[in-house]
């Protein structure tokens, strides 16, 4: 239920973001300016962890910042760095713990059509791709194995299991300049990883930067506050 | 902004339809499966053929355990026996109708056969050798040395 509440609140925030865009476009209909090659670097801070720390069950956490440069107001190479982890106790009382730094590199394209009669806005409608990477260690502890017939009980702990994961993300989002050089916006990410986990081998329950390792694609939403230098 | 409106609506549907499942839905029992077979000779061609053997009643008792694992199980073609997790040899006394045999299994243990965070680990086994007495059992074949949570036949016992 808490998850659902979280998504409802974020969806409401998106709608707010959109009304901002409408206002901005009307305000910026003036004269035309030539587009330079380099148009500065924007630092985005993900606000979702601030909200989710009140809403979630604290099983997982993820914080990230992004640096995105603006080339020709069309290409937006991006570097994202974050820190994520999990501290989870499953229904069978098994603990999973990990925390690590993760990184992503990628490229966005501004897909907002610009009319010639209108001054190019600083607002962005972005679509792009990321390659994510995380090298981390995880613990799986308090694993209980019971053998009723032979009367055997074991509790096993597996600590510092190393893992390295690479994944691909398809992203879409928007940025709206709410004040001069201050941007607000959201990004939606669809993440998928190709690595298969062999039967019987340990696999991470949570991958920092990727999310839950369920074997399926993950969806993630970032709500960002940005400043353009 | 019509495109973004559509995306928002789509996202709302996609994200709210996500639910987390947090219970074990996998098989967590690890047992050695033994199937019973007989060989019959075709009188005209002289060729032997294998067929399943139905045991009328069967008893199975781990050596050193007070209780029966199978107690007069009727009309059965296979049995599933748990092995010791902390030893590398398990012995069972198996009574086929009125004849008793002892079966000894030698194996290696894999303590951390991981299933999931919800289901945890099981102890899987790899069979090295199986030795039996020969009162009811005429011969034996190991057809799958890996014993884990997958339900598969490991040993075939032949009675002619």
């Amino acid at each position: 239920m808490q998850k659902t509440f979280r998504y409802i609140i974020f969806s409401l925030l998106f709608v707010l973001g959109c009304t901002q865009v409408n206002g901005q476009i009307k305000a910026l209909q003036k004269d035309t300016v030539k587009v330079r090659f380099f148009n500065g670097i924007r630092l985005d801070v993900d606000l979702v962890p601030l909200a989710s720390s009140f809403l979630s069950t604290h099983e997982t956490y993820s914080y990230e910042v992004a640096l995105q440069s603006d080339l020709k107001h069309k290409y937006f190479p991006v570097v994202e760095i974050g820190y994520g982890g999990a501290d989870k106790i499953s229904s069978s009382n098994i603990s999973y713990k990990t925390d690590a730094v993760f990184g992503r590199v990628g490229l966005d394209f501004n897909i907002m059509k610009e009319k010639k009669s209108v001054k190019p806005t600083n607002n962005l409608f972005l679509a792009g791709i990321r390659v994510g990477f995380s090298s981390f260690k995880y613990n799986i502890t308090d694993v209980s194995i019971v053998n009723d017939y032979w009367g055997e009980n074991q509790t096993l702990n597996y600590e510092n299991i190393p893992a390295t994961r690479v994944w691909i993300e398809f992203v879409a989002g928007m940025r709206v300049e709410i004040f001069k050089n201050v941007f607000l916006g959201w990004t939606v990410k669809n993440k998928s990883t190709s690595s298969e986990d062999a039967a019987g081998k340990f696999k991470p329950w949570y991958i920092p930067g990727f999310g839950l390792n369920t074997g399926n694609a993950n969806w993630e939403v970032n709500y960002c506050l940005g400043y353009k230098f | 902004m019509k495109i973004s409106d559509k995306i928002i609506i789509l996202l709302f549907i996609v994200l709210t339809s996500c639910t987390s499942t947090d219970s074990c839905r996998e098989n967590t029992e690890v047992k050695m499966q033994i199937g019973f077979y007989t060989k019959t000779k075709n009188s005209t061609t002289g060729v032997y053929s294998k067929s399943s053997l139905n045991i009328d009643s069967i008893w199975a008792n781990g050596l050193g355990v007070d209780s029966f694992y199978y107690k007069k199980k009727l009309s059965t073609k296979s049995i599933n026996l748990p092995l010791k997790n902390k030893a590398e040899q398990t012995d069972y006394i198996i009574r086929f109708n009125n004849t008793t045999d002892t079966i000894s299994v030698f194996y290696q243990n894999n303590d951390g056969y991981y299933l999931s965070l919800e289901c945890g680990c099981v102890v899987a086994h790899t069979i090295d050798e199986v030795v039996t007495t020969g009162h009811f059992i005429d011969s034996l074949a190991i057809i799958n040395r890996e014993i884990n949570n997958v339900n598969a036949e490991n040993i075939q016992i032949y009675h002619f």
Side-chain angles (χ1 to χ4, degrees):
Chain A
M1 269 313 282
Q2 277 179 321
K3 255 189 180 173
T4 316
F5 272 126
R6 224 160 93 193
Y7 293 134
I8 289 168
I9 286 167
F10 290 143
S11 305
L12 288 172
L13 289 174
F14 299 155
V15 177
L16 285 175
C18 285
T19 48
Q20 289 275 15
V21 176
N22 281 324
Q24 288 289 321
I25 286 172
K26 277 168 198 164
L28 289 164
Q29 291 178 350
K30 282 176 187 171
D31 52 345
T32 54
V33 176
K34 268 190 181 176
V35 179
R36 286 175 298 175
F37 178 76
F38 184 76
N39 299 289
I41 283 185
R42 197 184 66 254
L43 175 73
D44 276 348
V45 178
D46 184 17
L47 300 177
V48 171
L50 300 178
S52 61
S53 61
F54 296 108
L55 297 165
S56 84
T57 51
H58 298 281
E59 283 180 346
T60 64
Y61 50 90
S62 190
Y63 308 94
E64 62 183 81
V65 294
L67 275 175
Q68 190 163 42
S69 50
D70 179 343
L71 305 180
K72 287 183 167 179
H73 210 54
K74 196 173 180 186
Y75 307 106
F76 294 81
V78 62
V79 176
E80 298 172 338
I81 289 172
Y83 170 78
D87 194 349
K88 156 93 176 172
I89 296 172
S90 79
S91 55
S92 49
N93 286 322
I94 299 168
S95 302
Y96 178 86
K97 206 166 185 178
T98 190
D99 67 296
V101 172
F102 59 87
R104 306 188 195 103
V105 290
L107 182 66
D108 279 345
F109 299 91
N110 186 10
I111 53 170
M112 196 150 81
K113 280 183 186 167
E114 304 219 2
K115 288 172 190 162
K116 279 181 184 173
S117 58
V118 178
K119 184 199 171 186
T121 79
N122 287 326
N123 300 328
L124 307 168
F125 205 128
L126 300 167
I129 192 165
R130 306 269 185 285
V131 177
F133 172 87
S134 183
S135 188
F136 56 102
K137 285 179 176 171
Y138 60 96
N139 297 346
I140 293 178
T141 51
D142 296 324
V143 183
S144 165
I145 302 177
V146 180
N147 190 340
D148 285 331
Y149 185 69
W150 291 102
E152 294 171 319
N153 283 309
Q154 289 166 275
T155 302
L156 303 169
N157 295 314
Y158 301 92
E159 289 177 350
N160 293 321
I161 307 165
T164 299
R165 293 300 161 105
V166 177
W167 65 93
I168 286 197
E169 302 179 359
F170 294 99
V171 306
M174 54 201 270
R175 296 290 182 277
V176 178
E177 193 173 24
I178 48 168
F179 305 110
K180 187 166 173 57
N181 292 335
V182 178
F183 288 78
L184 202 59
W186 50 264
T187 305
V188 179
K189 301 176 166 183
N190 180 280
K191 310 173 174 193
S192 48
T193 174
S194 60
S195 49
E196 291 256 328
D197 296 296
K201 298 278 182 260
F202 285 102
K203 59 188 168 211
W205 178 78
Y206 178 89
I207 300 167
F210 178 77
L212 296 182
N213 182 25
T214 56
N216 300 320
N218 276 347
W219 286 91
E220 190 191 273
V221 175
N222 299 132
Y223 198 72
C224 306
L225 182 65
Y227 186 81
K228 190 171 157 185
F229 295 96
Chain B
M1 283 304 111
K2 275 178 183 170
I3 301 165
S4 68
D5 287 347
K6 280 179 191 167
I7 291 171
I8 288 160
I9 292 163
L10 186 72
L11 265 174
F12 190 81
I13 294 163
V14 169
L15 294 176
T16 50
S17 61
C18 294
T19 51
S20 60
T21 52
D22 194 9
S23 61
C24 178
R25 286 179 295 174
E26 292 173 70
N27 177 26
T28 56
E29 299 203 320
V30 177
K31 289 172 185 176
M32 181 177 70
Q33 191 177 111
I34 305 175
F36 306 118
Y37 296 88
T38 188
K39 279 178 182 170
T40 46
K41 190 181 181 183
N42 189 312
S43 54
T44 50
T45 59
V47 176
Y48 284 99
S49 61
K50 183 176 92 177
S51 62
S52 273
L53 178 66
N54 211 10
I55 311 286
D56 291 334
S57 55
I58 199 163
W59 290 257
N61 178 205
L63 195 68
V65 181
D66 291 337
S67 61
F68 280 94
Y69 194 76
Y70 284 103
K71 195 170 185 181
K72 202 177 182 183
K73 193 184 182 214
L74 300 174
S75 184
T76 182
K77 285 174 179 163
S78 70
I79 55 173
N80 299 285
L81 301 174
L83 303 182
K84 290 176 188 171
N85 289 341
K86 291 180 177 175
E88 293 186 336
Q89 182 189 346
T90 299
D91 305 291
Y92 272 96
I93 298 156
I94 303 173
R95 183 176 150 200
F96 303 89
N97 303 322
N98 293 314
T99 319
T100 302
D101 269 317
T102 302
I103 180 164
S104 300
V105 188
F106 299 88
Y107 52 89
Q108 287 159 26
N109 294 318
N110 174 10
D111 286 346
Y113 190 91
Y114 183 73
L115 303 176
S116 65
L117 205 63
E118 287 75 33
C119 302
C121 287
V122 295
V123 178
H125 315 286
T126 305
I127 301 172
D128 286 328
E129 196 53 74
V130 182
V131 179
T132 68
T133 54
H135 305 293
F136 179 86
I137 300 168
D138 287 307
S139 74
L140 180 145
I142 305 168
I143 59 157
N144 178 11
R145 291 182 184 271
E146 301 302 324
I147 306 173
N148 50 43
N149 71 324
V150 177
N151 191 18
E153 194 175 61
N154 301 106
I155 290 173
Q156 294 182 338
I157 280 178
Y158 289 88
H159 173 76
F160 304 131

